[in-house]
Amino acid sequence: MHILITGGTGLIGRQLCKALQTEGHELTVLSRDPNSIPEKCGAGVHAMTRLDEWHPGRVFDAVINLAGEPIVDARWTRRRKQALWDSRVTLTEQLARRIAAAHRKPGVLLSGSAVGYYGNRGDAMLDESAPAGEDFAARLCKSWEEAALGAEKSDVRVCLLRTGLVLSRQGGLLGRMLLPFRLGLGARLGNGKQWMSWIHIDDYVAMLLILLRNEQASGPYNMTAPQPVTNKEFTAVLAATLRRPAPFTVPAILLKAVMGERACLLLEGQRVLPKKIDSAGHHHIFAKLADALHDLLGR
Ligand SMILES: NC(=O)c1ccc[n+]([C@@H]2O[C@H](COP(=O)([O-])OP(=O)(O)OC[C@H]3O[C@@H](n4cnc5c(N)ncnc54)[C@H](OP(=O)(O)O)[C@@H]3O)[C@@H](O)[C@H]2O)c1
């Protein structure tokens, strides 16, 4: 297949490109920095810098849409919120228009979303049928999904990737947490009762490949491990894996003062269950957090 990937240079995209190349697929990555593509995505991956390079005669068999400004890196000013929105919702709307214009449509669009779709739901167990929340992150995900579903009008199969916290050696959440934990400064956040729906990157990529191939798969998929944990448990398991103490607590009030509104990403959570992916044919390699962290960090 010839596959177009947006966000192919990112944490998930880089590993996905490797897996897809191993399977022999031809890849084109949309990136603002095409020169970085050979190093990040692999030699032989084609570059696209603007979506309007996709003229109607160009054929992609599948599209994987992972682009988005990092959500936790900067304060959610009005300008930042607009950038988060444009890089997800607006870009996905443009993608759906390109798909509509294509003479030969791709068979499938796999498009990003996040477990933040559900909002802050306390201890409630959430499968794909749970409704959307109402905070900024939830509205962003809902609109991002609606933009992707626009491709269904072109008779394209659409899968929505409600992504949990992706655990990888290469960065992301774990990358941020490692230094303080290694220094013995690991801390739980607030009261530690918020749920963290995590996923090992190998499972994530395996799930993407199933959704790519399985022609019956469509609609939302919770891209998470089957055993989410609370922040308190995550802290304890990470500290035990690194054989370091994690005696501290970062008070919620401090996180809110430093991070502003986006502190909700750390202080609130969702207890998400990957109900649909099992029926699509995936058996998790890493169902337990301790096994996932041991694989990623164990010596
Ligand atoms: N990793 C997680 O734990 C997690 C959790 C939930 C949801 N997600 C979502 O899953 C997607 C992939 O995650 P990731 O961790 O791989 O993300 P990432 O490492 O931050 O990479 C995102 C990619 O998006 C592109 N991008 C960033 N800002 C952009 C902009 N303004 N316009 C166009 N493209 C832009 C970048 O590509 P170029 O710089 O090459 O243009 C980058 O490679 C993201 O949309 C993210 O929100 C991730």
Side-chain angles (χ1 to χ4, degrees):
M1 282 200 270
H2 189 171
I3 304 171
L4 172 66
I5 306 174
T6 78
T9 56
L11 179 79
I12 298 170
R14 290 192 301 266
Q15 185 137 338
L16 177 66
C17 284
K18 239 184 256 167
L20 291 169
Q21 278 187 308
T22 305
E23 295 205 338
H25 298 294
E26 182 178 358
L27 306 181
T28 294
V29 165
L30 177 76
S31 171
R32 295 161 302 167
D33 181 11
N35 294 333
S36 71
I37 289 179
E39 190 205 325
K40 291 180 176 168
C41 306
V45 174
H46 310 293
M48 186 188 270
T49 35
R50 295 167 52 90
L51 263 185
D52 53 20
E53 290 168 38
W54 183 356
H55 57 81
R58 205 164 167 184
V59 176
F60 293 109
D61 303 296
V63 179
I64 303 178
N65 177 33
L66 298 171
E69 284 278 348
I71 198 159
V72 81
D73 286 11
R75 260 183 185 262
W76 289 353
T77 59
R78 191 186 293 191
R79 214 165 140 199
R80 183 71 190 161
K81 282 185 175 176
Q82 193 62 50
L84 294 170
W85 197 272
D86 289 345
S87 62
R88 291 177 172 78
V89 183
T90 311
L91 189 138
T92 305
E93 286 167 352
Q94 289 166 357
L95 204 50
R97 282 200 291 276
R98 289 285 146 190
I99 289 172
H103 298 327
R104 211 184 98 195
K105 316 286 182 216
V108 61
L109 167 65
L110 307 183
S111 191
S113 181
V115 294
Y117 172 91
Y118 299 110
N120 180 27
R121 303 294 286 275
D123 291 331
M125 295 212 243
L126 306 165
D127 66 25
E128 287 86 351
S129 64
E134 286 178 0
D135 59 19
F136 171 71
R139 282 184 282 115
L140 177 64
C141 290
K142 188 159 183 270
S143 298
W144 193 7
E145 292 190 2
E146 283 165 358
L149 289 171
E152 286 186 337
K153 290 194 200 105
S154 307
D155 284 333
V156 170
R157 179 168 70 86
V158 178
C159 294
L160 305 164
L161 313 166
R162 290 189 184 155
T163 303
L165 302 161
V166 178
L167 303 182
S168 156
R169 280 181 207 97
Q170 315 299 331
L173 171 84
L174 210 49
R176 286 191 182 85
M177 294 176 88
L178 273 184
L179 181 63
F181 272 76
R182 283 204 165 118
L183 293 172
L185 299 171
R188 83 169 120 117
L189 307 175
N191 64 19
K193 290 183 183 167
Q194 66 278 34
W195 286 88
M196 297 176 71
S197 292
W198 58 275
I199 174 93
H200 188 298
I201 190 147
D202 289 354
D203 271 312
Y204 191 92
V205 169
M207 284 151 84
L208 270 179
L209 296 182
I210 285 172
L211 296 180
L212 189 65
R213 282 191 217 109
N214 184 333
E215 292 187 4
Q216 309 311 315
S218 71
Y221 283 83
N222 287 340
M223 304 290 282
T224 63
Q227 296 181 27
V229 296
T230 61
N231 174 262
K232 186 177 171 190
E233 190 178 345
F234 193 100
T235 304
V237 176
L238 179 55
T241 307
L242 295 171
R243 300 201 195 113
R244 305 293 293 159
F248 303 109
T249 297
V250 183
I253 195 164
L254 179 67
L255 275 173
K256 284 181 190 160
V258 173
M259 299 183 71
E261 187 183 348
R262 80 200 143 114
C264 68
L265 297 174
L266 304 181
L267 293 169
E268 298 172 357
Q270 303 78 21
R271 188 181 188 181
V272 170
L273 302 176
K275 190 170 167 194
K276 270 175 75 185
I277 195 73
D278 294 344
S279 48
H282 181 66
H283 303 288
H284 281 80
I285 315 162
F286 300 101
K288 287 189 183 158
L289 180 64
D291 295 341
L293 291 179
H294 183 77
D295 177 71
L296 293 167
L297 306 171
R299 287 158 221 172

